């Protein structure tokens, strides 16, 4: 299950985003450092369910859920303490923040798109702060901290890998093993910076630039929160201009949280990630609540098309991490498991995963005795080296 880190400075709505995504109640207040210990929960990405495409009346999820033909697949979410400038040197809750961030597969960088909080997270008049600066501060602090960790015993590390004849990419993969950095990011950073394959020839500045580039290449999404503000549009433009290679998602975490709570109470019908909702029981709503829902409809849904919460999660998992959804089954004709449940599992795996590798994720014995797999949609046989495809329904045939 991929781990997404909800990160950013204090007082921008990180905990509200976490609550909206997980429906886990956490403390939220308009002051810095409300979150001290990380909040950990399970959220879901959204994908059109295979049962709809297969013409089946329903599915029977054992993990996640299916709603109106949309399959919601679980991912892990962690909301860490807010960052302030100087975090790499331990200011605020800096080292605690950065130690949690390193574990995440992808980052959801929550910023205040309305420009109503300064670099320290203190309230300022809306539109007076450039939110793009907050992203740069986070990346600078993170890369500065990683650099400080990398420098420890650097000379002895370089001597060891040079003696063994280990090339730069392989050596840095080992050195960054605890930072959730992928090999492709390391190779890309080395190539883009034209660094030598021999680490002994790297200067301290080379190492610093390498770390900056690796952090820049990490899978991430900019969550442009408070998109319901009248000042948000300009803030979102600033973010897109400053970070053209990073997805910027207009988001109103508060709106999503309100809609999910109203749906849970049975007052409205709302599928997370939809562009609209339907009031089904006005008696459960006060006049004030109706007014709030009308505001969400006008300032968020009509303006941006959605609240941005599910879209941010989807972009992180399907866009940045390039994961696909695969459904393992026992019966390739009925699309069921051994207990007769229809499409019970929807697994997230990296694009390019081989069929035998997928079998190992289901159970190690399936891979050990692997014979072949069946694409249940087409009936064709798949060899061990065939790659899984998004939405594929697979039966693994094994001697074990």
């Amino acid at each position: 299950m991929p781990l997404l880190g909800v990160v950013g400075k204090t007082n921008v709505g990180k905990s509200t985003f976490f609550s909206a995504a997980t429906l886990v109640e956490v403390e939220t207040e308009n002051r810095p450092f409300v979150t001290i210990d990380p909040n950990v929960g399970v959220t879901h990405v959204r994908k059109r369910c295979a049962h709809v495409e297969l013409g089946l009346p329903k599915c029977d999820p054992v993990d996640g859920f299916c709603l109106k033909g949309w399959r919601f697949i679980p991912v892990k979410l962690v909301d860490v303490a807010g960052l302030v400038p100087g975090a790499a040197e331990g200011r605020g809750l800096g080292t605690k923040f950065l130690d949690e961030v390193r574990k995440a597969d992808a980052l959801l960088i929550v910023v205040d798109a309305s420009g109503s909080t300064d670099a320290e997270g203190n309230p300022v008049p809306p539109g007076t702060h450039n939110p793009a600066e907050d992203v740069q501060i986070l990346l600078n602090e993170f890369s500065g901290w990683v650099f400080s960790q990398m420098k420890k015993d650097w000379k002895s590390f370089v001597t060891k890998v040079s003696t063994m004849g280990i090339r730069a990419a392989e050596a840095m993969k080992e050195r960054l093993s605890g930072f959730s950095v992928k090999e492709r990011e390391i190779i890309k950073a080395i190539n883009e910076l034209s660094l030598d394959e021999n680490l002994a020839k790297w200067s301290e500045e080379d190492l610093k630039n390498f770390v900056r580039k690796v952090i820049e290449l990490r899978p991430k999404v900019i969550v442009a929160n408070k998109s319901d503000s009248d000042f948000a549009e300009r803030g979102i433009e600033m973010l897109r201009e400053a970070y053209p290679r990073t997805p910027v998602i207009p988001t109103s975490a508060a709106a999503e949280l309100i809609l999910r709570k109203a749906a849970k109470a049975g007052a409205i019908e709302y599928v997370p990630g939809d562009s609209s909702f339907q009031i089904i029981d006005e008696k459960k709503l006060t006049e004030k609540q109706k007014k709030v829902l009308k505001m969400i409809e006008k300032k968020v849904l009509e303006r941006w098309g959605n609240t941005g919460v599910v879209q941010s999660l989807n972009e992180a998992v399907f866009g940045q991490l390039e994961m696909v959804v695969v459904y393992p089954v026992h019966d390739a004709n009925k699309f069921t498991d051994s207990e007769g449940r229809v499409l019970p599992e929807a697994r997230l795996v990296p694009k390019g995963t081989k069929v035998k590798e997928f079998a190992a994720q289901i159970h190690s014995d399936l891979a050990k005795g692997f014979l072949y797999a069946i694409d249940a949609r087409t009936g064709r046989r798949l060899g061990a080296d065939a790659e899984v495809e998004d939405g594929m329904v697979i039966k693994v045939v094994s001697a074990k």
Side-chain angles (χ1 to χ4, degrees):
M1 186 184 296
L3 172 63
L4 308 181
V6 181
V7 301
K9 70 181 184 185
T10 61
N11 204 17
V12 294
K14 292 190 297 86
S15 295
T16 302
F17 181 94
F18 179 86
S19 293
T22 62
L23 278 185
V24 172
E25 294 287 348
V26 297
E27 186 181 1
T28 58
E29 252 184 77
N30 188 27
R31 60 180 174 83
F33 299 119
V34 174
T35 301
I36 297 177
D37 295 318
N39 297 308
V40 181
V42 173
T43 185
H44 300 84
V45 289
R46 161 177 155 152
K47 196 86 168 177
R48 200 65 179 163
C49 188
H51 90 263
V52 176
E53 298 165 354
L54 292 168
L56 302 172
K58 67 178 184 68
C59 62
D60 304 297
V62 294
D63 53 356
F65 58 96
C66 194
L67 191 59
K68 300 289 183 180
W70 294 100
R71 189 72 171 239
F72 287 84
I73 306 154
V75 297
K76 196 173 180 181
L77 199 65
V78 58
D79 166 33
V80 300
L83 174 139
V84 293
E89 286 77 46
R91 185 166 178 260
L93 299 169
T95 54
K96 186 182 184 73
F97 168 93
L98 294 163
D99 191 50
E100 291 296 330
V101 171
R102 72 175 175 83
K103 303 171 188 174
D105 296 304
L107 303 179
L108 295 167
I109 304 175
V110 182
V111 298
D112 177 0
S114 71
S116 59
T117 45
D118 65 17
E120 302 281 342
N122 300 306
V124 294
T128 59
H129 181 73
N130 183 351
E133 294 177 10
D134 301 330
V135 178
Q136 193 58 57
I137 288 172
L138 185 144
L139 296 178
N140 288 345
E141 294 296 337
F142 191 25
S143 62
W145 180 73
V146 173
F147 174 69
S148 69
Q149 302 303 305
M150 297 265 299
K151 274 184 66 179
K152 295 177 181 177
D153 302 321
W154 174 252
K155 288 184 179 179
S156 60
F157 174 74
V158 171
T159 300
K160 183 186 80 170
V161 298
S162 297
T163 302
M164 297 174 67
I166 300 174
R167 295 168 73 84
E170 187 179 348
M172 296 311 284
K173 181 182 177 183
E174 176 189 336
R175 190 71 172 176
L176 290 167
S177 60
F179 293 87
S180 299
V181 176
K182 304 293 186 295
E183 186 176 9
R184 64 182 180 184
E185 294 157 18
I186 292 170
I187 293 171
K188 191 171 182 180
I190 290 172
N191 290 339
E192 286 193 16
L193 295 170
S194 301
L195 294 173
D196 199 283
E197 282 294 336
N198 184 354
L199 284 186
K201 295 183 178 180
W202 286 25
S203 65
E204 184 171 306
E205 194 63 26
D206 287 335
L207 178 60
K208 189 175 290 186
N209 290 334
F210 168 78
V211 171
R212 283 177 184 155
K213 180 60 68 173
V214 164
I215 298 306
E216 177 190 315
L217 293 171
R218 280 200 75 179
K220 59 186 176 295
V221 175
I222 297 173
V223 180
N225 198 30
K226 305 184 184 182
S227 66
D228 52 305
S229 167
D230 293 335
F231 296 86
E233 202 154 338
R234 177 57 187 146
I236 290 167
E237 286 177 9
M238 289 177 175
L239 287 164
R240 287 176 172 162
E241 287 169 4
Y243 300 96
R245 295 170 63 177
T246 304
V248 177
I249 312 294
T251 304
S252 174
E256 179 72 12
L257 183 58
I258 290 168
L259 292 176
R260 290 201 185 191
K261 284 187 172 181
K264 188 176 181 181
I268 68 171
E269 185 177 86
Y270 173 67
V271 178
D274 267 5
S275 59
S276 63
F277 63 88
Q278 185 72 38
I279 295 177
I280 55 177
D281 191 347
E282 290 200 10
K283 295 177 183 177
K284 293 184 178 181
L285 296 169
T286 64
E287 287 304 314
K288 184 179 179 180
Q289 288 170 331
K290 290 177 187 175
K291 189 175 180 181
V292 170
L293 288 174
K294 193 69 179 174
M295 183 275 292
I296 290 173
E297 190 172 49
K298 182 179 180 181
K299 289 199 167 188
V300 179
L301 300 181
E302 290 181 5
R303 187 180 185 186
W304 302 110
N306 48 66
T307 69
V309 171
V310 171
Q311 286 68 29
S312 296
L313 298 169
N314 271 22
E315 176 58 41
V317 173
F318 299 125
Q320 297 297 294
L321 293 176
E322 296 184 309
M323 303 196 89
V324 297
V325 181
V326 184
Y327 301 81
V329 295
H330 178 73
D331 188 323
N333 296 313
K334 296 180 180 178
F335 310 106
T336 59
D337 64 5
S338 58
E339 296 180 30
R341 294 175 295 199
V342 178
L343 301 172
E345 288 187 86
R347 291 181 176 245
L348 289 166
V349 297
K351 184 180 178 182
T353 297
K354 303 291 177 62
V355 170
K356 190 174 180 180
E357 292 172 339
F358 179 70
Q361 292 184 27
I362 301 171
H363 198 288
S364 58
D365 281 349
L366 283 179
K368 289 175 184 176
F370 183 88
L371 298 173
Y372 60 91
I374 298 173
D375 181 341
R377 289 176 182 264
T378 63
R380 66 189 173 103
R381 285 195 178 195
L382 303 169
D385 291 331
E387 292 185 359
V388 298
E389 297 173 4
D390 192 33
M392 186 177 271
V393 183
I394 290 181
K395 172 183 170 61
V396 175
V397 180
S398 174
K400 293 193 176 187

